[in-house]
């Protein structure tokens, strides 16, 4: 044989042609053919060379993947917000908890509680006087099982860590656990989602919202009940942003990230830098100025706390400064213009904005809070368990002055954030009073404030309140079958004419976000918020 054939196994024929087929077995059918044997060539490369090549490949792969993982680690460690979202736990402590910021929403118009008769107790089951928008076809007794397949898979509150006061709304796990703990259900969360969708569809081209919502090109008047404050886009934008932020949507994350970013951009462009701070009031045409300042400041402070965006934080600091300098130096309150003698309606907004700024670790002078407490003392009635619209110099706070349910809810919420604890007898009496009044089907302004008070208080009072308030809002929201109105609420408020449908919808959304928007101040678990 030639030298070329020495490496060929003897089992193979020397010829390159395939081996001849064996004779057909007569016992097989005529169509059966035997296959030729498969010939596998044996490689002549030494085995040591293969191992060397494999070692090189593995080493290169190791270096590549190590580099990728290192890059990912740098990104995570650089983004503090991402770290907080990955490690989200709620822990206990034995000492009293710090107060937690809850921005109450209030319409940007003059609210003269002192000129209105004290609201009568209304049966929570009574019908609304306005048009009935129909019911959402969801079982209101549904629990979080509609949102998750197994509630046992949801971490309990003690197993979660919240890094900032707004983290309860930013983690899916935290939201679900808090809803399961405090009475939210699938129907309430579906209503929130539908309401935010309505807001998204009424955002203007410049990123703003308008109380005159029907002028939106896609709406074209399909949604009735415009507000009278058509020239106040900053106020409408601030309210809409609070609804989105309350659901955990920021300009950096969330389903509605683009809407929030456009809204924030509009707000920051509309703001006016002054020597007294950042003026967010916009074009003031009536008494809405300081209402708008409070609304927008809360939105900026919440956004700063949730994202740590330096641009937003700087604006929030200047906006808080404007509020502090607008405080009346004699009575400690706020009203329509900077320096005016205060009323509790406007002052409630400013106190919440200041506390939101404090929560976001903005610098606020302690005397500002002390003066605000002085104003609350001047507006209290019944020893501090109820509150009036404005101070009455002819009355002592221990007598039964012209208090109203709405101002009582505002005053009690401010007291909670400024340090009253659940052992305070006047606070307990005030909560008992709100529990007696019950949710009002035609006073959403009262409902929003009172819902926050009852949620913080907890216990049986909260359970009773929540079951009525939650189901009422779900039933009265326009369902998906109502076209462009779907997701909104008709005005059911004695002062809702200024803000219109958008104002009513924002208040309703945030009332349904109460379960996770913040942790209750007076929690039996003594939950600690860690920065």
């Amino acid at each position: 044989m030639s030298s070329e054939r020495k490496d060929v196994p003897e089992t193979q024929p020397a010829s390159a042609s395939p081996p001849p087929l064996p004779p057909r077995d007569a016992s097989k059918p005529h169509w059966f053919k035997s296959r030729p044997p498969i010939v596998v060539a044996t490689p002549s490369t030494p085995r040591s060379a293969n191992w060397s090549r494999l070692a090189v490949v593995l080493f290169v792969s190791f270096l590549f993947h190590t580099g990728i993982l290192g890059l990912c680690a740098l990104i995570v460690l650089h983004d503090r917000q991402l770290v907080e979202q990955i490690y989200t736990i709620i822990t206990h402590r034995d000492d009293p908890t710090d107060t937690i910021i809850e921005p109450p929403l209030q319409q940007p118009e003059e609210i003269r509680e002192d000129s209105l008769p004290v609201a009568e107790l209304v049966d929570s089951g009574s019908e609304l006087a306005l048009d009935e928008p129909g019911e959402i076809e969801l079982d209101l007794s549904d629990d979080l099982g509609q949102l998750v397949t197994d509630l046992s898979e949801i971490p309990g509150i003690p197993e979660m860590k919240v890094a900032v006061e707004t983290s309860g709304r930013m983690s899916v796990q935290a939201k679900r656990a808090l809803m399961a703990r405090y009475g939210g259900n699938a129907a309430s969360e579906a209503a929130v989602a539908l309401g935010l969708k309505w807001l998204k569809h009424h955002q203007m081209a410049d990123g703003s919202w308008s109380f005159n919502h029907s002028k939106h090109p896609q709406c074209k008047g399909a949604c009735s009940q415009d507000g009278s404050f058509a020239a106040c886009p900053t106020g409408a934008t601030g309210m809409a942003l609070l609804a989105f932020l309350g659901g955990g949507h920021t300009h950096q994350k969330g389903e509605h990230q683009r809407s929030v970013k456009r809204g924030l951009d509009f707000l920051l462009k509309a703001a006016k830098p002054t020597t007294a701070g950042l003026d967010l009031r916009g074009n003031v045409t009536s008494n809405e100025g300081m209402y708008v300042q409070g609304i927008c400041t809360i939105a900026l402070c919440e956004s700063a706390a949730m994202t740590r965006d330096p641009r937003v934080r700087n604006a929030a600091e200047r906006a808080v400064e404007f509020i502090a300098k607008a405080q009346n130096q004699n009575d400690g309150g706020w009203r329509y213009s900077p320096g005016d003698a205060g009323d509790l309606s406007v002052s409630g907004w400013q106190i919440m904005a200041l506390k939101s700024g404090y929560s976001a670790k903005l610098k606020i002078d302690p005397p500002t809070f002390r003066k605000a407490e002085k104003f609350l003392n001047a507006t209290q009635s019944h020893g501090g368990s109820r509150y009036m619209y404005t101070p009455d110099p002819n009355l002592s706070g221990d007598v039964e002055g012209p208090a109203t349910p709405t101002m009582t809810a505002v005053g009690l919420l401010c007291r909670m954030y400024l340090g009253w604890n659940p052992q305070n007898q006047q606070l307990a009496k005030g909560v008992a009073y709100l529990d007696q009044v019950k949710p009002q089907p035609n006073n959403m302004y009262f409902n929003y404030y009172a819902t926050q008070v009852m949620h913080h208080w907890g216990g049986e009072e909260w359970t009773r309140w929540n079951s009525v308030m939650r189901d009422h809002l779900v039933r009265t929201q326009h369902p998906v079958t109502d076209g462009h109105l779907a997701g909104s609420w008709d005005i059911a408020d004695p002062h809702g004419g200024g803000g219109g449908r958008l104002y009513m919808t924002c208040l309703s959304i945030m009332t349904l976000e109460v379960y996770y928007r913040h942790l209750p101040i007076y929690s039996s678990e003594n939950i600690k918020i860690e920065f």
Side-chain angles (χ1 to χ4, degrees):
M1 292 185 181
S2 64
S3 60
E4 287 81 357
R5 292 185 177 180
K6 289 182 180 180
D7 296 331
V8 180
E10 295 181 0
T11 56
Q12 291 189 16
S15 173
S17 60
L21 296 176
R24 183 175 67 86
D25 188 347
S27 65
K28 302 291 185 181
H30 71 279
W31 42 263
F32 180 85
K33 296 181 180 179
S34 299
R35 291 187 177 181
I38 299 175
V39 179
V40 180
T42 302
S44 58
T45 306
R47 180 170 297 180
S48 59
N50 290 338
W51 282 110
S52 300
R53 188 182 303 113
L54 179 60
V56 171
V57 171
L58 291 175
F59 181 70
V60 172
S61 176
F62 171 78
L63 291 178
F64 175 77
H65 288 90
T66 300
I68 293 296
L69 291 174
L71 180 61
C72 292
L74 288 176
I75 294 174
V76 171
L77 293 175
H78 179 71
D79 189 341
R80 296 181 61 188
Q81 180 196 0
L82 187 56
V83 173
E84 290 165 3
Q85 294 174 20
I86 294 174
Y87 302 100
T88 307
I89 324 178
I90 297 176
T91 57
H92 297 279
R93 71 175 182 182
D94 296 329
D95 54 315
T97 59
D98 295 331
T99 55
I100 303 171
I101 303 311
E102 162 64 13
L105 291 188
Q106 181 174 331
Q107 65 212 36
E109 63 173 296
E110 179 179 4
I111 300 179
R112 294 301 306 270
E113 287 279 342
D114 55 343
S115 64
L116 296 173
V118 177
E120 298 180 358
L121 300 187
V122 180
D123 182 2
S124 60
S126 62
E127 296 291 331
L128 287 175
L130 299 171
D131 295 337
E132 281 294 329
E135 298 183 4
I136 289 181
E137 295 182 358
L138 285 172
D139 184 356
L140 300 184
S141 64
D142 288 344
D143 58 20
L144 270 292
Q146 289 194 11
L147 299 179
V148 289
T149 57
D150 185 0
L151 284 179
S152 65
E153 296 178 356
I154 300 176
I157 289 178
E159 299 173 6
M160 282 194 266
K161 174 179 180 182
V162 174
V164 293
E165 295 181 1
T166 51
S167 291
R169 65 181 79 167
M170 295 183 67
S171 162
V172 173
Q173 286 184 328
K175 286 176 67 174
R176 289 175 175 173
L178 292 169
M179 287 179 66
R181 173 68 177 83
Y182 295 113
N185 62 18
S188 65
E189 194 65 358
V192 169
L194 192 59
L196 293 178
K197 185 177 181 181
W198 185 86
L199 288 177
K200 176 184 176 181
H201 290 164
H202 287 80
Q203 188 174 22
M204 301 299 173
D206 62 357
S208 70
W209 278 268
S210 173
F211 291 123
N212 186 18
H213 57 269
S214 66
K215 73 177 184 180
H216 191 281
Q218 294 183 7
C219 185
K220 298 179 181 178
C223 300
S224 59
Q225 299 182 335
D226 281 326
S228 61
F229 288 120
C232 187
T234 50
T237 301
M239 292 196 76
L241 285 174
L242 284 176
F244 283 108
L245 292 167
H249 304 277
T250 73
H251 64 288
Q252 296 178 348
K253 68 177 286 289
E255 177 186 353
H256 300 288
Q257 176 181 348
R258 183 171 182 272
S259 294
V260 176
K261 183 181 184 304
R262 294 174 61 218
L264 277 175
D265 287 344
F266 172 83
L267 207 58
L268 295 177
K269 289 178 183 178
K272 298 177 181 178
T274 72
T275 56
L278 193 65
D279 186 351
L280 297 165
R281 295 175 296 166
N283 182 27
V284 180
T285 61
S286 183
N287 296 320
E288 76 277 12
M290 286 305 294
Y291 283 107
V292 174
Q293 181 72 25
I295 293 170
C296 297
T297 300
I298 294 172
L300 291 178
C301 290
E302 286 197 357
S303 179
M306 294 168 73
T307 67
R308 287 172 169 71
D309 185 329
R311 181 183 67 143
V312 178
R313 179 181 177 84
N314 292 338
E317 283 184 327
R318 295 285 286 157
V320 166
E321 179 187 358
F322 188 93
I323 289 177
K325 291 183 177 179
Q327 186 177 31
N328 182 280
Q329 298 304 305
N330 293 322
D331 66 16
W334 292 264
R335 208 170 189 183
Y336 309 130
S337 300
D340 284 353
D343 72 54
L344 186 53
S345 181
V346 177
S347 296
W349 269 106
Q350 314 314 313
I351 292 172
M352 294 302 145
L354 291 170
K355 289 295 289 181
S356 294
Y358 183 81
S359 173
K361 295 189 175 295
L362 306 183
K363 181 181 178 181
I364 300 175
D365 292 332
T368 305
F369 288 115
R370 288 196 290 268
K371 292 174 186 176
E373 286 186 305
K374 175 185 176 182
F375 180 77
L376 291 174
N377 293 337
T379 55
Q380 73 179 26
S381 174
H382 296 69
S385 63
R386 303 186 194 182
Y387 289 83
M388 303 176 289
Y389 178 64
T390 54
D392 189 336
N394 299 318
L395 295 176
S396 166
D398 294 329
V399 302
E400 297 183 4
T404 67
T406 300
M407 290 299 101
T408 295
V410 175
L412 291 177
L413 186 62
C414 291
R415 290 294 197 184
M416 285 178 162
Y417 283 124
L418 293 180
W420 275 17
N421 59 47
Q423 286 73 45
N424 187 294
Q425 293 300 310
Q426 298 308 317
L427 178 59
K429 290 178 181 179
V431 169
Y433 170 69
L434 296 181
D435 188 28
Q436 179 189 16
V437 173
K438 298 180 176 59
Q440 300 289 289
N442 289 299
N443 193 342
M444 191 60 209
Y445 177 63
F446 161 76
N447 290 338
Y448 183 73
Y449 275 104
T451 297
Q452 296 172 74
V453 173
M454 303 304 279
H455 176 52
H456 286 311
W457 183 261
E460 295 180 356
E461 294 87 350
W462 166 243
T463 301
R464 284 192 295 270
W465 182 279
N466 178 59
S467 63
V468 175
M469 188 76 261
R470 178 197 63 206
D471 295 357
H472 169 73
L473 288 177
V474 170
R475 288 192 181 100
T476 55
Q477 183 184 40
H478 279 280
V480 293
T481 55
D482 280 1
H484 218 263
L485 282 168
S488 68
W489 279 264
D490 290 336
I491 300 173
D493 188 278
H495 307 284
R501 181 176 299 279
L502 185 137
Y503 151 81
M504 181 71 186
T505 298
C506 290
L507 287 181
S508 300
I509 291 172
M510 283 184 285
T511 299
L512 291 174
E513 292 172 339
V514 69
Y515 314 105
Y516 48 76
R517 196 170 171 215
H518 57 83
L519 296 173
I521 296 174
Y522 310 131
S523 171
S524 60
E525 291 90 0
N526 282 330
I527 299 171
K528 177 184 178 182
I529 307 296
E530 296 182 342
F531 284 91

